[in-house]
Amino acid sequence: MNELSHTRTNHLIDPSMHVWGWEIPVYLFLGGLVAGMMIIAGYFLFMGRHKEPKCSCFYLPIISTIVLSIGMFALFLDLEHKLYFWRLYTTFQLKSPMSWGAWILVLVYPALFANILIRPPEIISNKFRLIASLSEKINRMKNSTRLIGILNISLGVLLGVYTGILLSALGARPLWNTSILWMLFLISGLSAAAAFVHLIAKDVQEREMLAKADNTFLTVELIVIILLIVGALSSTQAHIDAINIILTGPFAASFWVFVVGLGIIIPLIFQVLAVQHKIIHTPVFPIMVIVGGLILRFIIVYAGQYSHWSHTVLGK
Amino acid sequence: MARLVMVIDTRKCVGCMDCVVACKTENNVPEGFNRDWITTEVLGKSPNLQMEIRSERCNHCDNPPCVYCCPTGASHIHDYGGVILVEHELCIGCKACLASCPYDARFIHPDGYADKCTFCIHRVEKGMNPACVDVCPTHCMYFGDIDDPESRVSKLISTRKYHTNIPEAGTKPQIYYLT
């Protein structure tokens, strides 16, 4: 027997840490989704697909702006000292991924706005002459769409990567403390975004293209999950205990069923059949991918807080 | 440069919680929260049992993840003694520092900012000991500058066996437990 007891009873800390509720996984998911949409829209611009009249790159930045703002509002709700949130923008802390994230978000909005300006919705350009004239100027500039495409891809990658690094930099939580987490969040963001664009795209050819892309993203995501598991299982006892929380422990059922099974493997199988024209495309599988991505963030955030280093001394 | 540390003799500590009460009184720690606490560890099978009682708190680490992860600079290393403090007016309550601490030493004060042990810096800067050290009835706690080879803490560390908590987390904790 090696029993540990302590007299501390701090709220959100004891008996096990749960400092971050629904707000953080929702933000991380929406941030990843926007990152994926920025990369997809940026890629379309870079490849010149904006010449297609039905290209989704025209409405993706508008949707991204709304979705990201909802995510940031969730983040704001999570703050315990809300009235001081502006303190994020009076400093830049080099070692803090959260500080990097706060400033990346400041850069993301202008990139999205620049993308909107390529062809702003008529309701907006008719009402605001300034936007219409800005749009004209941008379209007259040489290579402007390609540059805006590259800008959106770059900031999308930064946004997606930072959502993972935010957690992986916290060494006190062994489940998060893996350098592959950014890759998992980036690829999961891309697969959710591809599924979302597949759902809403008006162009049939585009829909097909995104279904194929999503199949690749889901396959890579599965590989990254396997690498994350192998990495943790071959690390310290704290990391082995941490990964077992999602492999066999309290989060195992939701992880295997909702993330791996219903969120990746089943939609992958059916979407592979759909792109081979053996079955028809349905909205069911993209929706399963999106929900799986959201549940993945919940499981990683909740199980990660639950993971910890051993506090025992005598048994060591 | 001074480096303030705490040395706690686990052979003398009886877990009376006087340190906990002294801290709450001295620092007006809100009801239901603790800046310091008692951990009791029991190892073995009866009748061959081993027990260690530890008075625990923020380890004022030399490699403090709570300072590094703070997005506003609210968590910082104090100029005097390397003590880790929180500037309440800069803290946004994002809770990254709570998640970054392997000792779970921090909590959110009901007023919204991250709070924890300050080594009673307001007393220390006046030349006094932290409240917990002064009230200990078994005199098992020592406080001082580990960079001064003549200090009591330096001498205890150089002559007695000790351990720190979770050194494998790489935070270089500065509370030493004599065994």
Side-chain angles (χ1 to χ4, degrees):
Chain A
M1 181 187 75
N2 192 356
E3 195 165 282
L4 201 69
S5 62
H6 60 73
T7 62
R8 193 184 59 206
T9 56
N10 290 346
H11 177 57
L12 303 177
I13 303 294
D14 298 304
S16 60
M17 174 170 284
H18 190 72
V19 293
W20 287 329
W22 64 269
E23 299 91 341
I24 298 299
V26 164
Y27 164 71
L28 293 178
F29 170 71
L30 296 180
L33 183 66
V34 169
M37 286 198 282
M38 286 180 81
I39 295 168
I40 291 168
Y43 173 75
F44 284 163
L45 287 184
F46 185 75
M47 298 305 284
R49 274 195 65 84
H50 62 287
K51 287 165 193 154
E52 304 282 334
K54 284 183 182 171
C55 181
S56 56
C57 56
F58 302 122
Y59 48 87
L60 281 185
I62 300 169
I63 296 171
S64 298
T65 309
I66 297 165
V67 169
L68 189 62
S69 303
I70 295 169
M72 284 184 71
F73 184 65
L75 202 57
F76 175 74
L77 287 181
D78 174 70
L79 298 181
E80 302 284 348
H81 222 191
K82 290 184 178 58
L83 294 178
Y84 293 80
F85 79 94
W86 53 274
R87 288 291 194 186
L88 281 169
Y89 296 106
T90 56
T91 180
F92 173 64
Q93 298 292 322
L94 192 67
K95 289 182 180 173
S96 164
M98 202 180 274
S99 183
W100 278 88
W103 287 105
I104 287 171
L105 287 169
V106 168
L107 299 176
V108 161
Y109 277 100
L112 287 171
F113 188 61
N115 196 348
I116 292 172
L117 281 179
I118 291 174
R119 199 204 287 172
E122 278 179 15
I123 315 165
I124 298 175
S125 53
N126 288 345
K127 239 180 185 176
F128 304 98
R129 282 308 305 156
L130 179 70
I131 288 184
S133 67
L134 271 174
S135 172
E136 272 168 36
K137 269 183 201 162
I138 279 189
N139 280 304
R140 246 184 280 133
M141 273 160 63
K142 211 180 159 194
N143 279 333
S144 59
T145 43
R146 282 170 79 90
L147 285 174
I148 292 171
I150 293 170
L151 182 71
N152 273 268
I153 293 173
S154 314
L155 282 166
V157 169
L158 270 179
L159 179 64
V161 165
Y162 124 80
T163 59
I165 294 181
L166 183 75
L167 298 182
S168 67
L170 301 171
R173 310 293 142 198
L175 183 67
W176 294 339
N177 192 215
T178 159
S179 55
I180 210 167
L181 198 64
W182 69 266
M183 218 186 273
L184 177 62
F185 279 13
L186 179 63
I187 200 74
S188 161
L190 267 170
S191 77
F196 180 70
V197 182
H198 175 198
L199 270 182
I200 60 163
K202 291 172 186 159
D203 186 315
V204 180
Q205 196 194 349
E206 203 166 271
R207 244 192 334 240
E208 193 76 9
M209 185 203 288
L210 282 158
K212 281 181 188 164
D214 202 14
N215 291 345
T216 310
F217 296 147
L218 288 171
T219 310
V220 175
E221 190 176 346
L222 208 53
I223 295 167
V224 172
I225 287 177
I226 293 167
L227 290 176
L228 181 116
I229 293 170
V230 171
L233 286 176
S234 51
S235 187
T236 69
Q237 189 60 47
H239 291 84
I240 296 168
D241 292 344
I243 200 73
N244 277 333
I245 296 172
I246 62 170
L247 296 184
T248 55
F251 290 90
S254 44
F255 175 70
W256 291 115
V257 175
F258 294 113
V259 177
V260 179
L262 297 176
I264 300 177
I265 294 174
I266 304 281
L268 181 59
I269 293 169
F270 282 93
Q271 282 191 160
V272 165
L273 293 173
V275 296
Q276 289 174 350
H277 305 292
K278 288 181 178 157
I279 56 168
I280 53 158
H281 282 289
T282 67
V284 176
F285 301 110
I287 289 173
M288 281 165 75
V289 171
I290 295 169
V291 175
L294 177 64
I295 296 175
L296 171 74
R297 301 312 194 288
F298 267 93
I299 290 174
I300 295 287
V301 171
Y302 282 21
Q305 295 177 78
Y306 192 63
S307 73
H308 54 81
W309 290 86
S310 168
H311 286 245
T312 56
V313 171
L314 299 178
K316 280 177 184 166
Chain B
M1 276 285 280
R3 184 53 174 105
L4 296 172
V5 306
M6 205 175 268
V7 175
I8 299 171
D9 192 342
T10 60
R11 290 184 172 246
K12 284 190 195 166
C13 178
V14 293
C16 70
M17 301 222 336
D18 245 15
C19 50
V20 176
V21 176
C23 173
K24 290 195 71 123
T25 313
E26 175 68 26
N27 296 297
N28 290 320
V29 179
E31 205 174 315
F33 291 94
N34 293 108
R35 285 185 180 187
D36 61 350
W37 59 94
I38 299 293
T39 295
T40 308
E41 189 178 347
V42 180
L43 175 73
K45 201 173 172 185
S46 180
N48 299 313
L49 293 168
Q50 220 185 320
M51 183 165 82
E52 184 174 283
I53 303 171
R54 299 189 290 271
S55 170
E56 295 187 344
R57 58 191 48 62
C58 166
N59 280 271
H60 296 274
C61 304
D62 256 356
N63 189 26
C66 53
V67 172
Y68 302 148
C69 74
C70 180
T72 64
S75 274
H76 63 281
I77 304 172
H78 190 50
D79 295 337
Y80 178 57
V83 178
I84 309 297
L85 298 177
V86 181
E87 187 71 57
H88 301 168
E89 297 292 301
L90 288 178
C91 178
I92 59 171
C94 71
K95 296 169 281 190
C97 57
L98 275 72
S100 80
C101 177
Y103 310 102
D104 298 342
R106 290 177 169 231
F107 60 90
I108 291 293
H109 189 281
D111 288 344
Y113 53 82
D115 200 11
K116 64 168 201 74
C117 161
T118 62
F119 264 171
C120 282
I121 194 75
H122 59 286
R123 289 168 60 93
V124 172
E125 285 182 331
K126 288 179 193 156
M128 299 155 81
N129 275 326
C132 54
V133 174
D134 268 355
V135 298
C136 180
T138 64
H139 302 288
C140 77
M141 301 168 79
Y142 306 88
F143 183 77
D145 178 10
I146 203 168
D147 283 351
D148 172 9
E150 294 305 312
S151 68
R152 186 76 194 268
V153 288
S154 290
K155 284 183 175 161
L156 283 166
I157 290 301
S158 58
T159 55
R160 293 272 303 270
K161 278 189 179 172
Y162 66 87
H163 70 78
T164 53
N165 280 352
I166 324 178
E168 62 273 28
T171 57
K172 296 186 182 157
Q174 294 303 315
I175 300 205
Y176 297 84
Y177 293 94
L178 302 177
T179 56

